[in-house]
Amino acid sequence: MMAIYRDGMDSSINEARPTPKCRFCASPLKVTFVDLGMSPLCQTHIEPDELNAMERFYPLHAWVCGNCFLVQLEEYVSPDEIFSDYDYFSSYSDSWVEHGRRYTEMVTQRFGLGEKSLVMEIASNDGYLLQHFVAKKIPCLGIEPAANVAKVAIERGVPTTVRFFGCQSATEIAAEFGRPHLLAGANVLAHVPDINDFVGGMKILLAPGGVITIEFPHLLKLMDENQFDTIYHEHFSYLSLYSVEKVFAHHGLRLFDVDQIPTHGGSLRVYGCHADDATHPTLPAVDSLRDEEISRGLTSLETYQGFEARVKDTKRKLLKFLIEARAAGKTVVGYGAPGKGNTLLNYCGIRTDFLDYTVDRSPHKQGRYTPGTHIPILAPERIRETKPDYVLILPWNLKKEITAQHAYIKEWGGRFVVPIPTVTVLDP
Ligand SMILES: [Zn+2]
């Protein structure tokens, strides 16, 4: 059988290479979704004294499983290496903290949570979400693998246990802390290499009658809006309702509702319960979104195979913009140093030849350099000092927040630019 690896190349070139297997159903992965070449880990920002050292690059090659249609990367890097000292602090994004506050209001009302309930969040980061439950005196526990991030949560009064989540830790947590009525996780399901161990752990931990909510970027949006830069090593899976429902069902869990939410460029929030829990009947939203995904082709390999050509076109258009801007003597800087920015910069080959610097609100990133491309990361104040002509917003999902906070760039005729879905100069 001819497998398609990349355009113009016969699969026989890769014959010596062992065939990767689907992380959910273990079928051999033969069909490429998109191959973004070699890239360093996106959260390993480089210290000044590391600039001359070697960096490790890993393939950034996404596959689609021909059996269950789970889009995924191979596991090139162990989660220990990625997550034990993570540079991402959720609370540096105002809109993400606000998202957490609104979520807390909604679930507290909908599921009648109170002082006798127990709420847990998997990958609770710096407590950006659970702080709202603490404020309502609803008992809670964060489960977070990165000790440096968990420390910040504990300091702000959010009880947090430092560990990776899976079947074994779920059993330990249930024995030590009890079983939660609400088990939440935002942007974590896509980040786990062993999705079966993770979802199996949720099944073990959830109290009878309890509710799971899981948020993840929606694969349909990724494809519709060309969000290829959300593919990075930390994201092992790219999820649809169809694929998540299959994984949950395999572990005795049922999805009973789904919300489409705007975070991260378009996400789903699915609501799960024990499969036999009659108190949570499946609502029509689940059937209608599953039908939409199927009608849009998410159960057909051809749909996935069309993606890579659009990614290449986006790269060429972005480079054309940058080349023309620099040739015309314009200055261009970046805003943000998010994971997705590093995929974009490395895949497109954008270094200080195009961006003089980038800025980030997180003091943990300031003074460091972007991995692979070595663009200096400075404090946002630098934009006002240097008055660049263009500011390229790398976390384009936060463009409203960023353009509002830095509207002053129009004082000198500066313009914001977003790279995705296609390079666009925003109106001042
Ligand atoms: Zn599969």
Side-chain angles (χ1 to χ4, degrees), residues 241 256-260 282-292:
L241 178 72
F256 66 89
D257 198 7
V258 57
D259 296 332
Q260 301 188 53
T282 305
L283 299 173
V286 177
D287 288 338
S288 83
L289 184 58
R290 189 194 317 105
D291 290 348
E292 186 192 339

Side-chain angles (χ1 to χ4, degrees), residues 20 70 98 126 192 379:
L70 182 64
E98 173 60 14
D126 58 10
V192 295

Side-chain angles (χ1 to χ4, degrees), residues 22 25 65 68:
C22 174
C25 76
C65 174
C68 72

